[in-house]
Amino acid sequence: MAPHPLSSAQQQSVEQLLETMTLSEKIGQMTQPEKNSVKPGDVTRLSLGSVLSGGGGNPDPNTPQSWREMVGAFHEEAQQSRLGIPLLYGVDAVHGHNNVVGATVFPHNIGLGATRDADLVRRIGRATALEVAATDVRWDFAPAVSVPQDVRWGRTYEGYSQDTGVVSELAAALIEGFRGDGWATPTSVLPSVKHFIADAATTWGTSRRADRSTLATDRTLAIAQMGQSFVELLDLGAWQIDQGNSEIDEATLRAVHLPPYQAAIEAGALNVMVSYSSWQGLKMHAQHYLLTEVLKGELGFAGFVVSDWEAIDQIHPGDYDRCVVDAINAGLDMVMVPFDYERFIASLGRAVQSGQVSESRIDDAVRRILTAKVALGLFEHPRTDPALLNLVGCAEHRTLAREAVQKSLVLLKNVGDVLPLDPAGPELLVAGEAADDLGAQCGGWTISWMGGHGPVTPGTTLLEGLQAAGGQVHFSPDGVVDRDYPVGVVVLAEAPYAEGMGDRSDLSLSADQVALLERVRARCTRLVVVLLSGRPLIITEQLPQWDALVAAWLPGTEGQGVADVLYGERPFTGKLSFDWPHSHADLPRRPEATLLFPLGAGLTTDADSIRFPGLQDNAKV
Ligand code: GLC
C-alpha cells in the first residue's frame, strides 16, 4: 500500500477547500471536455477541472509555442474562476509529445518492451515530461499497462509486452521518469495508468464499438478522417476486438492484468483511466467491484479515476442519465466528456438532487482530484517555465530516442551473418516506400490520432540514416532495378492506425508487399527484410526466402537508429516481448499455440554477448 501522497496539513487544506465549494463547482471539477468543444469563458463559469486534447487535438499552427498559448488560455480561465482552482490539461503523449510537430517521437511501447531496459524507459519518461511540461501541460494519458493477449488488437503496440512482469517494470520506470525529482516539482507530469482493467484481454468479435449504420454520425470516429476507407477497414476487422468483452476468470485477471497497476501505484501514480472494455459482460465503467472495492479499497489507490473518451455513454446506450449515475456510483471521479459537457453537468446535478448519487460520493471524487492537483504543486505553480520550449525536439532527446531505437530492434534471422552490413561495401539496394516514410515509422498517435504517411514531423527516415552512414545506397521504392546487387534490404510497414481502427483479422503481408519481395529477391544475392509494424505479422510462408529478418516495430522520428545497427555501429540486443505466431490459428496466444519465434527470442551481433540458444542461424526457417 503506497503512503498517502499528501502531508496531513495538505490533506487538511483539501478538506477546507472542499467545504467552500458549491455542488456546481464540485461537479465542474469532475468534468473534462475536449478543447475544441469548450466555449470561451466556460472553464471560469463552470469551474471545469480539466480540458484535454484528444488524438490530434492540435492548435493551428501546430508548433510548441502555439500549443503553449492554447493551453495557457485555459489555465488563465481557471485562475479567473471563483475559487481559482488550477486546471489539469491532459494529452496523449504516448511515445513522446507526439501530437506536437517538432517534438521527439520515441519508439512505441512494443519496441521499448523489446529493450527490457528500465533505465532507458525512465530517461524517456523524464524527456517526455519535459517536452509535455514545455507546452504548459501537466497530465499525460500514459503509460498504457495493457498486457496484450491477441496481436490482432489494434492497440497491441501500446503494450510493452504480453509478459506481466515486463509491463510492470517498464510502466513503473516511465512513471518514475514523469515524476522526476518529485510530483511537486514544476516539471513533473501526472501519468494516467490505463486502461483499467484487462483492456487487452478481450475476445475477437465481441466489440460493439462501430456500427455501420451510424458511422456517418459518429463524431468520434469522424476524427479519424478515414472516409470511404473506413468501410474497407471494417471489412478487414476494424473494431472487432477493441472495447470488446473479456471473458477471463478473476484469478487470471488478478494474475495477469492487475500487477502493473499495483506497480504503478507503488511508483506514485495518482490517476487511472478506465477501459472501454467489459469484463464478464459488464462495462468496466460500471464495475463498482473492480473500480472501488479492488482499485481504491484493496490496492489503496488515493488518486482519481477518469473515464475514457465518451466511454460512460456505452453503459446504457440511449439512457444517458443512467450512464452517469452508474458510472459515478461505480467509482468514476472525473468524466472525459469531449462534446456535451453541459449535458453531463446537468445530469449529474439531477442525480445528486434526486439522491441517486450521494454528496459523499461527489466529495470523495473531488477530494481525489484536488489531492492530485495539490500533489503536483499546481496551487503554488499552476504554470510551467516557457524556457522549457527549447527542450522540445532537442538534440539530447533525439539522441536518447536514437538509443531507444537501437536497443529496440530484434534480429530474428541472420543466415551467414549477412548482418551487420559494411557501409564501405558494394552498393546496397534499399527497396520499399516504407524505407523513406517517417509517418510509417512513427505509426498511430503521431500528429493525428491515426497517424499518417510521409513527412508528418521533423525526423530521419531509415533510408536517410543509411545514406548518412556514407555507404553507396540505391533506393528503389518499387524494387524495380536494372541490375543485380549483392545485398537488398526490403522495408515493409503496416499503414498507421490507432485503437480499434487497427484491429485486423488478417495479419499476412499484402499482395503488393509479397510482389515487392519477389522482385528484390530475384535481383539480390542476400535479402534482408526490415518490418515496421505495431505487432508480429504472419510471415511464415515468406520467411524461408529471406536471409535476415529485423523486427523494428514503430521506431519514431529517429530512423537513423535502425541504420546504426544494420551497419554494426551498435549490436542487435533486442528480445521479443511477444510470442510471434506461426499462423492465424495460433491467435489468441495460448499454451498450445505454435510459434515462429517465442517471447525472448533475439539474435545478437555483439561478439561479447551470448547468442540466443536454439536460434543460431534459423536454418530451419
Ligand atoms: C482514447 C483512448 C485513450 C485516450 C483517450 C483520450 O479513445 O482510448 O487511450 O487516452 O481517448 O484521447
Side-chain angles (χ1 to χ4, degrees):
M1 189 87 77
H4 195 283
L6 301 186
S7 67
S8 52
Q10 288 176 315
Q11 292 178 59
Q12 195 174 359
S13 68
V14 165
E15 294 308 319
Q16 288 165 353
L17 177 54
L18 202 53
E19 284 166 13
T20 66
M21 294 173 73
T22 64
L23 176 62
S24 295
E25 289 165 334
K26 292 174 183 175
I27 293 175
Q29 285 296 305
M30 297 170 67
T31 307
Q32 180 190 51
E34 207 275 341
K35 64 104 179 169
N36 289 318
S37 308
V38 185
K39 294 191 291 293
D42 270 5
V43 170
T44 304
R45 179 172 68 90
L46 300 168
S47 183
L48 296 177
S50 175
V51 173
L52 86 143
S53 280
N58 310 329
D60 184 12
N62 184 348
T63 65
Q65 181 58 45
S66 56
W67 265 90
R68 187 174 176 90
E69 288 161 8
M70 172 185 78
V71 176
F74 290 112
H75 285 308
E76 289 297 326
E77 282 209 24
Q79 288 173 333
Q80 301 307 315
S81 64
R82 183 177 78 90
L83 294 170
I85 297 173
L87 181 92
L88 258 176
Y89 197 96
V91 297
D92 293 278
V94 296
H95 60 143
H97 201 355
N98 41 248
N99 287 323
V100 179
V101 170
T104 311
V105 179
F106 293 90
H108 268 297
N109 286 351
I110 190 169
L112 299 183
T115 71
R116 303 294 202 282
D117 187 336
D119 176 65
L120 170 73
V121 173
R122 188 176 299 105
R123 288 182 283 135
I124 290 172
R126 186 76 311 253
T128 301
L130 288 170
E131 297 200 22
V132 166
T135 57
D136 228 347
V137 175
R138 298 286 305 279
W139 186 8
D140 184 353
F141 304 130
V145 294
S146 318
V147 188
Q149 303 298 307
D150 187 332
V151 296
R152 290 173 294 182
W153 186 40
R155 306 198 76 163
T156 295
Y157 67 76
E158 296 185 65
Y160 292 107
S161 176
Q162 71 184 42
D163 179 276
T164 299
V166 171
V167 174
S168 297
E169 182 187 21
L170 297 187
L174 190 86
I175 290 166
E176 288 158 18
F178 280 14
R179 186 183 64 223
D181 294 333
W183 294 119
T185 56
T187 63
S188 75
V189 167
L190 178 72
S192 187
V193 192
K194 68 186 189 180
H195 310 80
F196 190 86
I197 188 171
D199 56 343
T202 53
T203 303
W204 181 268
T206 61
S207 178
R208 296 294 170 266
R209 173 61 187 86
D211 181 335
R212 292 170 189 258
S213 64
T214 58
L215 279 188
T217 58
D218 190 315
R219 287 180 290 187
T220 293
L221 295 182
I223 294 170
Q225 296 179 330
M226 304 310 286
Q228 171 51 32
S229 65
F230 200 156
V231 177
E232 290 155 17
L233 289 171
L234 289 173
D235 291 340
L236 294 174
W239 303 101
Q240 279 297 308
I241 187 171
D242 187 37
Q243 306 186 16
N245 183 41
S246 166
E247 298 157 333
I248 58 176
D249 61 24
E250 183 167 350
T252 304
L253 182 141
R254 284 179 172 273
V256 175
H257 303 281
L258 194 59
Y261 290 92
Q262 291 166 300
I265 292 168
E266 284 304 315
L270 288 172
N271 176 251
V272 164
M273 184 183 294
V274 181
S275 175
Y276 282 111
S277 56
S278 304
W279 180 52
Q280 297 183 354
L282 176 62
K283 277 287 177 185
M284 274 309 307
H285 281 77
Q287 287 270 5
H288 181 272
Y289 170 63
L290 291 171
L291 295 178
T292 297
E293 294 177 49
V294 174
L295 176 62
K296 294 180 177 180
E298 193 181 316
L299 270 57
F301 178 61
F304 71 99
V305 174
V306 68
S307 80
D308 205 333
W309 176 289
E310 268 190 324
I312 71 167
D313 304 43
Q314 295 181 10
I315 300 171
H316 306 292
D319 186 344
Y320 189 69
D321 286 348
R322 270 184 76 204
C323 293
V324 172
V325 168
D326 285 0
I328 302 299
N329 285 339
L332 265 297
D333 301 310
M334 183 181 283
V335 174
M336 190 183 293
V337 51
F339 307 113
D340 306 330
Y341 54 97
E342 291 187 90
R343 179 178 68 154
F344 166 71
I345 291 170
S347 176
L348 184 49
R350 289 195 298 274
V352 176
Q353 298 300 354
S354 67
Q356 288 177 287
V357 172
S358 69
E359 285 258 18
S360 62
R361 176 71 271 275
I362 298 293
D363 286 350
D364 172 54
V366 178
R367 180 178 296 114
R368 290 170 177 272
I369 294 167
L370 295 178
T371 294
K373 292 185 173 184
V374 169
L376 284 176
L378 291 182
F379 286 85
E380 289 75 31
H381 41 79
R383 311 296 299 278
T384 65
D385 182 352
L388 291 169
L389 283 170
N390 296 320
L391 298 179
V392 179
C394 66
E396 182 187 344
H397 291 174
R398 289 183 186 274
T399 300
L400 173 61
R402 184 172 183 171
E403 175 191 350
V405 173
Q406 293 162 353
K407 293 179 174 178
S408 68
L409 305 180
V410 182
L411 180 61
L412 292 166
K413 183 174 185 178
N414 192 22
V415 173
D417 289 345
V418 60
L419 292 176
L421 303 170
D422 178 1
E427 188 176 30
L428 180 68
L429 170 60
V430 177
E433 293 173 345
D436 198 31
D437 182 341
L438 199 82
Q441 69 188 49
C442 288
W445 295 106
T446 308
I447 310 305
S448 66
W449 183 25
M450 292 293 141
H453 288 287
V456 297
T457 190
T460 309
T461 64
L462 196 166
L463 174 71
E464 289 165 341
L466 289 169
Q467 291 167 331
Q472 299 179 70
V473 175
H474 176 74
F475 177 46
S476 168
D478 61 5
V480 175
V481 292
D482 56 8
R483 72 172 178 86
D484 292 347
Y485 290 82
V487 178
V489 176
V490 173
V491 183
L492 305 176
E494 284 195 289
Y497 54 79
E499 303 194 38
M501 208 69 84
D503 293 352
R504 288 287 180 280
S505 55
D506 184 352
L507 296 178
S508 310
L509 298 179
S510 69
D512 288 348
Q513 288 173 326
V514 171
L516 169 68
L517 286 161
E518 287 168 352
R519 283 194 294 273
V520 177
R521 175 74 277 180
R523 280 295 194 179
C524 65
T525 309
R526 314 299 299 282
L527 176 60
V528 175
V529 174
V530 178
L531 284 184
L532 296 173
S533 67
R535 52 196 156 191
L537 301 177
I538 302 300
I539 55 168
T540 308
E541 185 181 342
Q542 291 82 21
L543 183 59
Q545 297 302 314
W546 307 347
D547 296 293
L549 167 61
V550 176
W553 316 115
L554 297 171
T557 49
E558 309 313 308
Q560 72 273 40
V562 181
D564 295 336
V565 179
L566 290 178
Y567 274 140
E569 292 298 312
R570 290 286 184 281
F572 282 96
T573 56
K575 301 279 180 265
L576 285 185
S577 53
F578 288 85
D579 288 332
W580 198 293
H582 192 273
S583 74
H584 290 94
D586 302 307
L587 297 171
R589 63 178 289 261
R590 53 196 186 283
E592 64 274 19
T594 305
L595 303 180
L596 193 59
F597 303 107
L599 170 80
L603 301 171
T604 179
T605 50
D606 180 350
D608 301 332
S609 303
I610 299 169
R611 294 170 73 83
F612 187 78
L615 282 175
Q616 291 299 344
D617 286 326
N618 295 312
K620 64 178 179 300
V621 293

